[in-house]
Amino acid sequence: ASLDHGVRVLAGACDDLLSPRALGPLREAAAGTTGPLAAALAGSRNGESDAVPAATVAELGAWRPTVLIVEDLHWADDATLDVLGHVGRRLADLPALLVLTYRDDEVPPAHPLRRVLGALTSATVHRLALPPLSPAAVAGLAVGSGRDSTALHTLTGGNPFYVTETLAAP
């Protein structure tokens, strides 16, 4: 909301599915656009196309500047991970920002996302590790809720999403 109006934001999320839709977050991000990514995705068969990686780079280079957000990358399909790895290696030459979110506790050593993250090592890559909320932080959020903040912290592990959702639930 605080970005300059000239910044284009494309956003998609991965879903916790047994068979994630190939390139699902990119399809979601490109929905309603008419650029090279939307065209490549429309022309792909069975959700995969050799044109999608190059089209994603072209999409990010066509508009100045663009932010591509992909949420919950720990649930991504292999095709999406391949495209993001391709884009990540070319990002320094693009007027774009790539924001990838994932839960590190859901990415074991053999997870395919580890390979992609390992390839993103340039000086343009910035990693922000978000630790769980402390018991004191949970207590601060729980003030006035009538909830036991110690039990809430134990139940949620300090995960901010779980804390706020639990507090919002009746």
Side-chain angles (χ1 to χ4, degrees), residues 111-138:
H111 195 288
L113 176 56
R114 292 277 181 201
R115 180 182 48 83
V116 175
L117 296 174
L120 300 175
T121 59
S122 73
T124 60
V125 174
H126 300 280
R127 298 178 197 271
L128 300 174
L130 302 177
L133 296 173
S134 68
V138 171

Side-chain angles (χ1 to χ4, degrees), residues 38-157:
L41 289 167
S44 68
R45 286 175 287 149
N46 297 323
E48 297 186 33
S49 168
D50 291 339
V52 173
T56 305
V57 170
E59 185 77 34
L60 296 176
W63 185 287
R64 298 181 181 268
T66 298
V67 177
L68 174 60
I69 302 167
V70 180
E71 301 260 14
D72 294 320
L73 205 53
H74 52 281
W75 292 325
D77 62 286
D78 291 343
T80 296
L81 293 176
D82 286 345
V83 170
L84 293 175
H86 178 85
V87 170
R89 289 186 299 277
R90 292 155 180 80
L91 198 57
D93 299 326
L94 298 171
L97 174 66
L98 187 58
V99 178
L100 308 174
T101 71
Y102 65 95
R103 295 182 198 156
D104 58 355
D105 60 341
E106 294 204 27
V107 185
H111 195 288
L113 176 56
R114 292 277 181 201
R115 180 182 48 83
V116 175
L117 296 174
L120 300 175
T121 59
S122 73
T124 60
V125 174
H126 300 280
R127 298 178 197 271
L128 300 174
L130 302 177
L133 296 173
S134 68
V138 171
L141 290 172
V143 167
S145 70
R147 305 284 176 90
D148 177 345
S149 65
T150 301
L152 181 60
H153 186 268
T154 301
L155 175 68
T156 63

